[in-house]
Structure formats: C-alpha cells, structure tokens
Amino acid sequence: MSRNLLEADIRWAKPLLEHEEGMNHLWVRIWPLAGKRTAWVQLQLPEGIFLDDSACGYKTDERGRIAIEAPAKEIELLFGIYTEKPVPCGGTAVVLKLDTQDNAGEEYCECWEIPLQIVDAVEAELLEPELDEEVVRKVKEQAARRPAETGGPDAEQERLDCTPAKVIRYDASRRTELEKEYWVEG
C-alpha cells in the first residue's frame, strides 16, 4: 500500500555527478512520523553509482535498509554517492524508499525519485554547478564528527599515527658489560 502522507526535504550538494570518479552527497530530512512504530530507509542507485558506506555510517538490515530508531522525531540522513568507472552521461534518478509500520502493524511505503544529471569532467567544469551551502556544511560537520563517533578499541588504529619516530643511535665502539662478556669476534 502506498500513500502520499509523508513529507521530506531532499537535496543534493550539487545538481550533477561526474560520470567517472565523481562524488556527490544527498541530504534527506524526513519530518516526524507520528503514529509509526518502525521505519526503514533505503536508497536505490542506478547501475555504476555506488553508496559510500564509510560516509553514511548507518547500520543496515539484510535487505539493505537503514532502521530508524525513533521515527516520531525528525530524521536527518546524509548519503555519499560516487562513480568509479565511466557511466553513461545524461539524466537519471536515485530512488529513496521509506517503509513504515504503524502501531496496528499496517505497513506503508513511500518512494521519491530524485533526479540527477550525469556529466563528463569537462562539462562539469563548464557548468560550474551551484553548491547547496547547507548540504556542504552538513557534509563537513559529519566529516569532523566521524573520528569521535567511531569510539571503541579500533578507533585509535584507524587514525594515522603522526608522532615522530624514536631515534636510536648505535655506537659500534661502545659496548655494554653483557656485550663485552658475550662478544664473539668473527
């Protein structure tokens, strides 16, 4: 069953994506889902466009849906998408799917088609796309928060160690007492 009862604000950081090695971000704000017990969000991408899992940081279920813990509150999601190899240029769309279940157990599904223009690098430079400053700000905030959010024992391993190396100098003419005692001339 699909009803158009839900409102969302969905915006790209820029209105286009480079066809090869391109990157863009999609910001999604879904208004509070009153009367909903459970909600799931899923992004369906065209072939050749991938979701940057490290950027989102959301846990997904076996169907690739993000479970929303508190659907009665405003939901904000930020997705990074990218291309690796060349994909066909032209217009395409990303589909945002929101599945909900109310307190009576009845399920609803809402889908939004979000248009996206795929262009080559030369065209991207010529068009000089206008950036959505609010989305760009949210991307920067998320990037700044990411190391603090990882937490746990692996968080230190993920960070780059930039401490200076300890310099150990060896003087061949000086030997410790143990070295003198066990030194074998060869």
Side-chain angles (χ1 to χ4, degrees):
M1 177 185 281
S2 180
R3 294 184 192 169
N4 194 5
L5 299 175
L6 308 172
E7 289 187 46
D9 186 12
I10 304 168
R11 300 190 329 225
W12 289 110
K14 57 185 178 180
L16 51 84
L17 177 67
E18 293 83 358
H19 80 110
E20 183 177 12
E21 296 182 2
M23 181 76 178
N24 202 348
H25 289 84
L26 180 67
W27 175 59
V28 177
R29 179 173 54 188
I30 301 170
W31 307 116
L33 303 171
K36 303 295 182 188
R37 177 176 57 191
T38 315
W40 300 272
V41 174
Q42 185 175 21
L43 206 58
Q44 297 171 343
L45 302 168
E47 191 173 333
I49 299 177
F50 304 96
L51 183 62
D52 183 6
D53 293 329
S54 66
C56 340
Y58 309 117
K59 294 180 183 178
T60 59
D61 64 9
E62 66 282 349
R63 292 167 55 183
R65 302 180 307 176
I66 299 167
I68 305 299
E69 296 177 13
K73 295 181 181 177
E74 184 177 285
I75 302 162
E76 273 196 41
L77 303 167
L78 188 62
F79 299 99
I81 66 162
Y82 65 95
T83 56
E84 291 178 338
K85 298 178 182 175
V87 295
C89 293
T92 188
V94 170
V95 177
L96 178 73
K97 183 178 174 191
L98 175 66
D99 295 316
T100 59
Q101 186 177 51
D102 64 15
N103 294 326
E106 196 168 336
E107 295 185 3
Y108 302 91
C109 177
E110 186 72 34
C111 292
W112 292 272
E113 246 187 46
I114 307 127
L116 180 63
Q117 189 67 29
I118 308 293
V119 298
D120 63 20
V122 175
E123 190 177 357
E125 286 181 24
L126 291 174
L127 292 174
E128 295 182 23
E130 189 173 317
L131 297 176
D132 185 321
E133 293 301 327
E134 185 176 4
V135 178
V136 171
R137 182 180 51 80
K138 290 183 180 297
V139 170
K140 288 178 182 178
E141 287 172 0
Q142 184 186 49
R145 268 194 322 263
R146 197 172 306 126
E149 289 177 350
T150 55
D154 297 331
E156 288 300 317
Q157 293 175 351
E158 291 177 16
R159 294 187 184 145
L160 182 61
D161 183 13
C162 296
T163 55
K166 185 177 179 181
V167 178
I168 300 173
R169 299 190 193 282
Y170 178 72
D171 185 2
S173 64
R174 300 188 77 205
R175 295 190 187 131
T176 65
E177 291 301 315
L178 285 174
E179 286 175 317
K180 289 177 186 175
E181 187 176 334
Y182 294 103
W183 191 264
V184 177
E185 294 290 330

